[in-house]
Amino acid sequence: METDVLVIGSGIAGLSFALKVSSFCSVTLVTKKASADTATNLAQGGIAAVLSDEDRPEYHIRDTLRSGDGLCNEEIVRLVVENGADRVQELIDIGVRFQRGKEGQKFDLGMEGGHSHRRVAHAFDLTGREIERALLERIAQQNNVTVLENHLAIDLLLASKAPSGPVSANGDRCIGAYVLNRQTGHVETWHARATMLCTGGCGKVYLYTTNPDIATGDGVAMAYRAGATVANLEFVQFHPTCFYNPKIKNFLISEAVRGEGGILVNAQGKPFMLAHDKRGDLATRDAVARGIDAEMKASGADCVFLDISHRDPQFVRDRFPTIYSTCKKYGVDITREPIPVVPAAHYMCGGVQVNSWGESSVAGLFAMGETACTGLHGANRLASNSLLEAVVFADRAAQRLAGTWPEVSRQPLLKTTPWRDGEAGSIEENVLISHNWDQIRRLMWNYVGIVRREKRLQLARRRIAPILTEIREHFNDYLLTADLVELRNLAVIADLIITSASMRKESRGLHYIIDYPERDDINFQRDTLLNRKKR
Ligand SMILES: Cc1cc2nc3c(=O)[nH]c(=O)nc-3n(C[C@H](O)[C@H](O)[C@H](O)COP(=O)(O)OP(=O)(O)OC[C@H]3O[C@@H](n4cnc5c(N)ncnc54)[C@H](O)[C@@H]3O)c2cc1C
């Protein structure tokens, strides 16, 4: 199967890029479930950009650098911030309806933690859903974009494996991907002149996460296997308060609940945050997540509680209508009782290392959105900068491809061999997959979570190794299923996070390790880079 450009993923990054390049080439966009099964669809707060007269690019740059704790690439931060307003306008032009200000202003700009000015454009608390809707509607109108749902990319195709392929002197080249058609069960071989990885994050590698089920780190794992460099995977952002209930996944309890007087208490009803941080319940996101983690580890409890029941019930219902009604639906009346909460993995700051055009270290392979490490976030992402990063880099990568297209489109399309199942048989016992899946997520939560320790990291390295070997054997022995493909990626991502965390012997941003509590600029003010060929 052939296409000019293969885009993997239908979140804000993949859709924005596909829309742009469809003006000069044909695009096939594969997505592993339904098109709107994305983290983009869940984004609540909004998209950060300099959009008011009171704000300036310099302020947004300063806030981003401060949050990144010495590890942002300042040139990239400037590039993203300076492009922000234009990209937000483009979203409006394709039909995104941001909430307008009360006195006729174009935007009702939100204020979020770490931002010195109001700069978050939003569509109530459903911003991501509105962006996804508008992009999908626009994509549906493009004749030369084909969207294939239930198509799961397994591995990237490399020129070095193509019988006809002269490998360029600069190294290998990506020429497409093997894709599992989940409806037929067949593996399709998609050849492309350029391949774009936009597969989102990897929250599912942790026991608790705000991420949707698709977030299994597939793009990073595929790129790593193909020889691309990945960066800064130790920096995982945890949201402090996710609703703890087995029947509902991904439901965030906004930080505004603490802002309005909500108090974190343990199972005995005792407030505990002051023992961990002098700012108490109003400490920053990472400090609160660490406080809750310490409390849960010390008591062995499954969750802690966030109590706003002392406030006037009418105020609580009016101020937090969605949180009130959702919790009520699952048996918790937040005007009368505390809400069970746990911290949860929320955002992957690292990813496939790319340059300012979204190009990875493997020719022909781009990465964008949460899958990429552009240098914008450094050691800690500033809230609402991720949607912005995705649209800015979609634009940059599209420009790059447009510039090189006359040359790229002239080259013959290299072909590799189709996928071979060999002697593989059907996997009869799904418990083989579910057991490993569960083991990895618990291992990561308990050993490589919010607060780290050298000893636990060493144990994690020892435990992930046999799991990786076992999964490799399953891969050879059994016919592919989507679960098996995702499990392999989850194990690779776990290994990369553990290794990156073990290499950074300092505490910085989101990486907090008890054995090295201080930031060490002399030895560690640099990216953590991993490349399969150099390990
Ligand atoms: C609850 C929540 C709230 C958030 N709120 C905000 C916010 O307010 N502001 C902000 O800036 N950021 C926010 N974020 C982060 C932001 O939503 C994400 O970082 C961003 O949407 C990622 O976009 P993406 O296009 O990179 O990936 P996604 O939107 O996650 O899309 C990934 C796509 O890749 C597909 N895919 C994955 N693997 C494969 C494969 N192997 N083969 C084929 N397809 C594959 C998926 O099916 C999906 O279509 C939030 C995140 C969450 C979870």
Side-chain angles (χ1 to χ4, degrees), residues 102-391:
K102 286 205 179 72
E103 280 134 34
Q105 292 107 326
K106 195 164 171 190
F107 300 101
D108 171 48
L109 294 174
M111 180 76 175
E112 289 192 350
H115 289 275
S116 57
H117 288 73
R118 289 193 168 271
R119 62 170 73 102
V120 181
H122 63 101
F124 298 94
D125 57 358
L126 297 170
T127 313
R129 193 183 297 182
E130 173 60 9
I131 293 176
E132 183 83 19
R133 175 201 64 76
L135 282 167
L136 282 173
E137 277 179 22
R138 192 49 84 92
I139 284 282
Q141 294 160 9
Q142 309 305 309
N143 289 332
N144 46 351
V145 181
T146 307
V147 176
L148 300 175
E149 293 188 327
N150 294 311
H151 278 63
L152 170 85
I154 305 164
D155 261 324
L156 298 168
L157 307 177
L158 293 172
S160 54
K161 306 269 168 61
S164 57
V167 178
S168 87
N170 303 330
D172 217 338
R173 181 172 189 86
C174 176
I175 54 169
Y178 289 121
V179 177
L180 175 68
N181 178 334
R182 298 174 68 161
Q183 264 144 3
T184 62
H186 286 123
V187 178
E188 299 169 358
T189 308
W190 276 95
H191 292 107
R193 295 178 195 284
T195 304
M196 176 58 80
L197 283 174
C198 313
T199 55
C202 69
K204 294 297 283 186
V205 78
Y206 284 97
L207 189 59
Y208 301 115
T209 178
T210 63
N211 289 189
D213 287 347
I214 54 96
T216 49
D218 297 3
V220 174
M222 280 189 276
Y224 178 73
R225 283 194 293 270
T229 300
V230 299
N232 292 353
L233 285 161
E234 67 273 35
F235 298 112
V236 179
Q237 191 168 62
F238 289 82
H239 194 287
T241 50
C242 188
F243 188 41
Y244 179 67
N245 185 302
K247 293 200 192 112
I248 181 173
K249 289 187 277 185
N250 323 324
F251 187 64
L252 287 185
I253 306 295
S254 160
E255 288 171 86
V257 174
R258 283 183 288 117
E260 298 294 352
I263 300 165
L264 283 159
V265 296
N266 60 20
Q268 288 72 45
K270 215 170 134 218
F272 59 82
M273 263 317 293
L274 267 175
H276 300 285
D277 194 293
K278 60 178 185 307
R279 295 164 293 182
D281 293 288
L282 292 178
T284 50
R285 192 183 265 200
D286 48 337
V288 175
R290 282 202 287 272
I292 298 176
D293 183 71
E295 192 64 29
M296 284 172 63
K297 282 216 173 80
S299 67
D302 289 336
C303 66
V304 295
F305 298 86
L306 182 55
D307 195 356
I308 185 106
S309 63
H310 51 281
R311 297 289 317 255
D312 172 41
Q314 195 54 48
F315 165 79
V316 172
R317 281 192 290 267
D318 291 347
R319 178 71 181 78
F320 303 111
T322 315
I323 295 176
Y324 172 75
S325 59
T326 308
C327 290
K328 189 86 196 284
K329 191 166 149 203
Y330 291 95
V332 179
D333 180 347
I334 70 170
T335 64
R336 292 158 163 267
E337 57 195 321
I339 314 164
V341 291
V342 282
H346 188 53
Y347 186 81
M348 166 174 86
C349 291
V352 180
Q353 193 189 37
V354 294
N355 64 14
S356 69
W357 300 102
E359 294 167 308
S360 78
S361 59
V362 172
L365 180 66
F366 292 76
M368 288 182 326
E370 198 165 332
T371 301
C373 182
T374 64
L376 175 70
H377 306 306
N380 190 2
R381 171 190 74 129
L382 181 66
S384 290
N385 263 359
S386 32
L387 295 176
L388 174 69
E389 181 193 41
V391 282

Side-chain angles (χ1 to χ4, degrees), residues 9-21:
S10 57
I12 186 171
L15 294 174
S16 304
F17 176 77
L19 197 55
K20 294 211 161 196
V21 296

